[in-house]
């Protein structure tokens, strides 16, 4: 018992509302708080609520009148669950007891607050999360939680099976993937629409570049070279013709190079039988003669090119002008114009976005189908869990004096989300002729307190400090007895802090605190004392019973003896 529970060890309040300075050292199990109405008992609950970011004490009333600052400090025992949370949120060095502080002070007509854990700063948001692990309030203010859809869903899911937890995780993962796919599809659709809108202009640009018949990135330079050659073709042909005449003139006046070499070969042939050296020279002349014939052939071919040119000078100049004008139109040089043409062709021919959209549609439909299947399983498992919770709460409510109460956990279809496709409503009616309706619309304060106790005792999985604020209000007889037994049962495994006016409940506490309010010189003070002796506790029970007459003393004694048995 109590091995792994979080427990509130100590609470220190300074200049909080009506409290000047108070230190409370709590016990395990059931801690009872009693005192006259208006004495400030609820300030204990409210100060803890405020410590963890709540607003049960309005900010303008938080600091004691006449003071400039206040502080709330609570010390808790450590547990594996809280240790995991601390580590997850970056508080690695905290071990042993946890000291949570809130210091509030006035500055420039405003009230500012600082929060810390073991003297390490912490944000209000994180402190609210931590508070849910350390404290569980069951006062009337706690009823607001049940107006929250996420909280109602969390109750069912926490109470559900491991399979429900697995299904919930699968839904969250697939839902995230589903949303990402839809975002990608939307992005692709935007690109596709943009492409369609720009298609006409792109096709016109591509048409111009295709009609330009661009094949070589160096075409303009090649054309300019050809232009220069053709513009000087007369001089070139004349020079070539003269060269051919000098090399191979069939007329002997003047003799050509070819004729002279042939004559030289004839002369050397006459002397080769006199001297073998002449043969070598003769062979060299024959080689020169062959080279000369090849040269004459090449020059003839070169000459004939001008005679058979397939493009005129005028056509070349028009082509150069056309290409240069194309460069100016697109502000791109010829090599980049060729690349641009190829890019536009790919853009027009390539239906990538359209194909990707089709693939994404298939994936989206598959994810949606998977989600629908999982939603059905999730709904079935949640209904199964809700049915068990419903029966448990109804059974406890009858024991607590709400025999005619009815409690229903209702499911209704909503737009799907990562949490499912159904909302969960807690519906209640206290009387047979009263229609079931949301809690906040039909339940009274006393009924809400008992409902909270019933549902929390049915769902509580997390070991934490359980705070009950006058939950026994309006109960008596069998209902009160059932309430007390239920609170005692809860306190076997949890620390319970309970504000009460009932002597029957007060007698069962392992620790009993008396809250008093005094007015001294017009200033109100709230104080608290721990009743440690049997005599002190008996005296307080007599006060709760209603007076110091003999029967009250006897009844108080019996209550103490019964609690000790």
């Amino acid at each position: 018992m109590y091995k792994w529970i979080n427990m509130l060890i100590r609470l220190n309040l300074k200049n909080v509302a009506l409290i000047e300075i108070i230190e409370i050292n709590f016990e395990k199990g059931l801690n009872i708080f009693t005192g006259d109405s208006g004495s400030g008992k609820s300030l204990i609950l409210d100060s803890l609520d405020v410590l963890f970011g709540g607003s049960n004490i309005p900010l303008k009333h938080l600091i004691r009148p006449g003071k400039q600052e206040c502080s709330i400090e609570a010390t808790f025992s450590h547990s594996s669950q809280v240790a995991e949370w601390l580590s997850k949120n970056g508080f690695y060095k905290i071990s042993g007891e946890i000291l949570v502080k809130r210091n509030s002070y006035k500055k420039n007509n405003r009230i500012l607050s600082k929060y810390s854990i073991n003297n390490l700063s912490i944000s209000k948001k994180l402190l609210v999360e931590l508070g849910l692990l350390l404290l569980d309030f069951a006062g009337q203010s706690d009823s607001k939680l049940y107006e929250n859809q996420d909280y109602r869903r969390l109750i069912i899911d926490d109470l559900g099976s491991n399979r429900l937890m697995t299904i919930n995780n699968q839904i969250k993962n697939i839902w995230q993937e589903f949303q990402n796919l839809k975002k990608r599809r939307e992005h692709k659709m935007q690109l596709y629409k943009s492409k369609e809108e720009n298609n006409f202009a792109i096709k016109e640009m591509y048409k111009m570049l295709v009609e330009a018949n661009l094949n070589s990135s160096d075409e303009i330079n090649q054309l300019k070279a050809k232009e220069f050659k053709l513009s000087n073709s007369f001089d070139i042909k004349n020079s070539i013709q003269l060269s051919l005449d000098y090399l191979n003139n069939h007329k002997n006046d003047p003799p050509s190079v070819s004729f002279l070499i042939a004559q030289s070969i004839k002369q050397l042939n006459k002397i080769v039988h006199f001297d073998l050296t002449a043969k070598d020279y003769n062979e060299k002349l024959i080689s020169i003669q062959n080279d000369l014939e090849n040269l004459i052939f090449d020059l003839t071919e070169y000459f004939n090119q001008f005679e058979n040119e397939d493009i005129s000078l005028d056509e070349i100049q028009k082509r150069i002008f056309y290409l240069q004008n194309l460069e100016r139109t697109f502000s791109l040089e010829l090599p980049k114009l060729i690349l641009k043409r190829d890019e536009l062709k790919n853009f027009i021919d390539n239906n990538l976005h359209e194909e990707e959209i089709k693939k994404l549609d298939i994936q989206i439909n598959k994810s949606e189908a998977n989600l629908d299947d999982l939603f059905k399983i999730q709904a079935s498992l949640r209904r199964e869990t809700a049915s068990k919770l419903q029966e448990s709460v109804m059974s406890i409510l009858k024991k607590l004096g709400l025999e005619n109460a009815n409690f229903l956990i209702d499911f209704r279809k909503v737009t799907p989300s990562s949490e499912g496709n159904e909302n969960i409503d807690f519906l209640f009616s206290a009387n047979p002729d009263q229609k079931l309706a949301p809690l906040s619309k039909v339940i009274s304060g006393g009924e809400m307190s008992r409902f909270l106790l019933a549902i929390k005792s049915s769902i509580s999985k997390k070991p934490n400090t359980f705070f009950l604020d006058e939950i026994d209000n309006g109960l008596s007889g069998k209902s009160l007895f059932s309430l007390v037994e239920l609170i005692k049962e809860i306190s076997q495994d949890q620390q319970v802090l309970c504000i009460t006016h009932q002597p029957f409940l007060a007698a069962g506490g392992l620790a009993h605190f008396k809250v008093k309010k005094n007015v001294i010189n017009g200033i109100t003070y709230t104080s608290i004392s721990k009743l440690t002796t049997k005599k002190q506790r008996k005296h307080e029970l007599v006060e709760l019973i209603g007076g110091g007459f003999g029967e009250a003393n006897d009844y108080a004694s019996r209550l103490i003896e019964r609690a000790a048995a």
Side-chain angles (χ1 to χ4, degrees):
M1 189 169 65
Y2 306 117
K3 184 177 181 181
W4 297 107
I5 72 168
N6 301 315
M7 192 181 86
L8 177 59
I9 298 172
R10 186 167 45 257
L11 177 65
N12 293 89
L13 306 176
K14 183 177 180 181
N15 296 328
V16 177
L18 299 178
I19 298 171
E20 184 176 33
I21 186 166
I22 280 179
E23 178 177 310
I24 309 172
N25 291 287
F26 298 94
E27 301 287 347
K28 297 175 181 179
L30 181 56
N31 291 253
I32 295 293
F33 295 83
T34 58
D36 294 336
S37 296
S39 60
K41 299 185 298 301
S42 293
L43 278 176
I44 309 301
L45 167 66
D46 294 339
S47 63
L48 286 167
D49 170 78
V50 168
L51 174 62
F52 289 97
S55 57
N56 280 8
I57 303 176
L59 201 58
K60 63 181 179 179
H61 298 311
L62 180 60
I63 299 176
R64 182 176 172 80
K67 302 297 181 179
Q68 293 299 308
E69 61 182 356
C70 70
S71 66
I72 305 172
E73 299 181 5
T75 305
F76 293 86
S77 61
H78 210 264
S79 74
S80 57
Q81 185 184 32
V82 173
E84 182 181 344
W85 184 93
L86 291 171
S87 177
K88 177 183 174 184
N89 288 282
F91 297 95
Y92 306 105
K93 297 181 180 180
I94 295 179
S95 60
E97 295 181 352
I98 302 170
L99 176 61
V100 183
K101 291 183 182 180
R102 172 176 177 162
N103 292 316
S104 299
Y105 54 94
K106 296 178 181 179
K107 185 176 181 180
N108 298 329
N109 296 319
R110 296 175 60 200
I111 295 179
L112 306 177
S113 296
K114 293 181 179 179
Y115 303 89
S116 66
I117 304 178
N118 290 27
N119 297 318
L120 299 173
S121 294
I122 184 173
S123 69
K124 183 178 178 180
K125 181 181 178 182
L126 283 179
L127 201 60
V128 170
E129 287 184 22
L130 179 60
L132 295 175
L133 297 177
L134 296 174
L135 292 173
D136 194 351
F137 295 101
Q140 292 182 19
S141 61
D142 192 36
S143 62
K144 294 178 182 177
L145 283 172
Y146 292 87
E147 297 175 16
N148 184 286
Q149 175 61 222
D150 292 334
Y151 186 71
R152 294 194 295 269
R153 188 185 298 117
L154 183 63
I155 288 173
I156 301 299
D157 289 345
D158 278 351
L159 197 59
S161 62
N162 289 333
R163 190 184 178 206
L164 175 57
M165 181 174 66
T166 301
I167 293 295
N168 288 343
N169 289 333
Q170 288 178 346
I171 287 174
K172 283 181 171 64
N173 292 335
I174 295 177
W175 182 264
Q176 184 62 49
E177 178 188 342
F178 178 62
Q179 294 301 311
N180 289 339
L181 287 171
K182 289 204 297 184
K183 287 179 181 177
R184 283 173 56 194
R185 187 190 186 282
E186 183 180 351
H187 177 65
K188 293 296 180 185
M189 280 299 298
Q190 290 175 348
L191 292 176
Y192 181 73
K193 288 178 181 178
S194 176
K195 173 185 170 182
E196 288 299 302
E197 291 169 0
N198 295 326
N199 237 8
F200 178 77
I202 289 172
K203 286 180 179 178
E204 288 299 308
M205 290 168 63
Y206 177 66
K207 182 181 178 183
M208 288 178 64
L209 293 175
V210 169
E211 290 175 349
N213 193 26
L214 306 176
N215 294 313
S216 171
S217 60
D218 198 38
E219 184 179 357
I220 292 177
N221 291 330
Q222 292 170 354
L223 288 171
K224 284 183 176 180
K226 205 166 190 178
E227 176 193 29
F228 185 72
K229 184 173 75 173
L230 288 179
S231 62
N232 294 281
S233 62
F234 176 81
D235 292 338
I236 294 172
K237 287 194 293 183
N238 189 50
S239 295
I240 294 172
Q241 186 61 61
L242 287 173
S243 297
L244 287 171
D245 290 343
Y246 292 145
L247 293 173
N248 191 27
N249 186 4
H250 297 292
K251 300 174 183 178
N252 293 328
D253 186 25
S256 67
V257 173
S258 180
F259 173 78
L260 293 174
I261 290 175
Q263 292 301 314
S264 298
I265 292 172
K266 286 181 182 180
Q267 294 301 319
L268 287 175
N269 278 332
K270 293 177 180 180
I271 63 171
V272 290
H273 61 281
F274 299 124
D275 187 356
L276 292 176
T277 302
K279 184 179 179 182
D280 291 338
Y281 293 131
N282 191 46
E283 288 178 352
K284 288 180 180 180
L285 274 174
I286 292 171
S287 176
I288 291 170
Q289 187 182 46
N290 290 334
D291 289 341
L292 179 62
E293 288 174 355
N294 290 333
L295 175 61
I296 291 169
F297 179 80
D298 290 340
L299 279 173
T300 302
E301 285 291 308
Y302 181 46
F303 181 84
N304 290 336
Q305 285 180 10
F306 287 90
E307 295 296 324
N308 302 316
E309 187 65 59
D310 58 350
I311 185 170
S312 67
L313 178 62
D314 183 58
E315 289 174 320
I316 290 174
Q317 290 173 335
K318 286 180 179 179
R319 177 67 175 173
I320 291 172
F321 177 78
Y322 174 75
L323 292 177
Q324 289 177 332
N325 187 56
L326 202 65
E327 286 183 325
R328 287 191 293 272
T329 300
F330 286 91
S331 298
L332 293 172
E333 293 181 352
L334 193 60
K336 291 187 177 179
L337 280 175
I338 294 173
L339 289 175
K340 185 68 174 177
R341 177 201 62 194
D342 296 340
E343 288 174 3
L344 292 177
K345 184 178 188 303
N346 289 333
F347 186 85
I348 291 170
D349 295 342
N350 191 354
N351 291 320
L352 180 62
H353 292 315
E354 193 172 349
E355 288 301 316
E356 285 187 353
I357 289 170
K358 289 178 181 178
K359 289 179 181 178
L360 287 171
D361 282 338
I362 293 171
Q363 291 178 281
I364 287 170
N365 291 336
K366 184 179 178 181
S367 294
E368 203 164 18
N370 288 340
L371 284 170
D372 286 340
D373 291 340
L374 290 172
F375 284 151
K376 290 175 184 177
I377 299 171
Q378 182 190 59
S380 176
L381 293 174
R382 280 177 171 171
R383 279 173 166 77
E384 183 181 322
T385 302
S387 177
K388 293 177 182 178
L389 175 60
Q390 195 172 288
E391 290 177 11
S392 174
V393 171
M394 284 290 293
S395 174
I396 295 171
L397 286 175
K398 292 186 187 305
K399 291 178 182 178
L400 296 179
L402 295 174
E403 294 86 355
N404 297 318
N406 193 9
F407 172 59
L408 175 68
I409 301 176
D410 189 43
F411 292 80
R412 53 189 172 86
K413 293 289 183 182
V414 293
T415 303
S417 71
S418 62
E419 301 296 339
N421 65 349
E422 291 184 321
N423 271 353
I424 300 172
D425 293 319
F426 285 2
L427 305 179
F428 180 84
S429 70
N431 303 298
D433 58 345
Q434 185 181 41
K435 288 184 179 180
L436 286 163
L439 291 170
S440 59
K441 295 183 179 179
V442 296
I443 199 166
S444 68
E447 290 165 348
M448 176 57 85
S449 295
R450 281 175 278 177
F451 170 79
L452 292 174
L453 183 60
I455 196 167
K456 285 177 180 290
S457 62
S458 299
I459 67 173
S460 185
K461 282 185 174 183
K462 300 174 182 176
N464 48 25
T465 297
F466 202 16
F467 211 130
L468 306 174
D469 186 7
E470 297 187 9
I471 202 165
D472 51 6
N473 190 27
L475 293 182
S476 61
K478 188 187 294 185
S479 299
L480 178 60
F481 176 79
S482 297
L483 174 72
V484 172
E485 290 303 307
L486 182 57
I487 292 174
K488 284 183 177 180
E489 182 182 336
I490 294 172
S491 68
Q492 294 298 309
D493 298 311
Q494 291 179 259
Q495 183 188 46
V496 179
L497 312 182
C498 182
I499 296 174
T500 183
H501 289 284
Q502 288 284 359
F504 187 61
L505 176 56
L510 296 180
H512 191 154
F513 298 91
K514 169 75 172 181
V515 181
K516 291 182 180 180
K517 181 175 72 173
N518 297 303
V519 179
I520 303 173
N521 297 326
I523 300 175
T524 305
Y525 296 87
T526 292
S527 62
I528 188 167
S529 59
K530 188 174 184 180
L531 307 180
T532 56
T533 67
K534 183 177 180 180
K535 181 178 179 181
Q536 289 173 330
R537 297 192 66 180
K538 179 181 176 181
H539 182 267
E540 179 61 15
L541 291 179
V542 170
E543 290 292 319
L544 292 174
I545 293 168
F549 51 90
E551 291 82 354
N553 277 285
D554 293 340
Y555 181 46
S557 296
R558 287 198 302 273
L559 289 176
I560 291 174
E561 289 169 4
R562 182 180 179 279

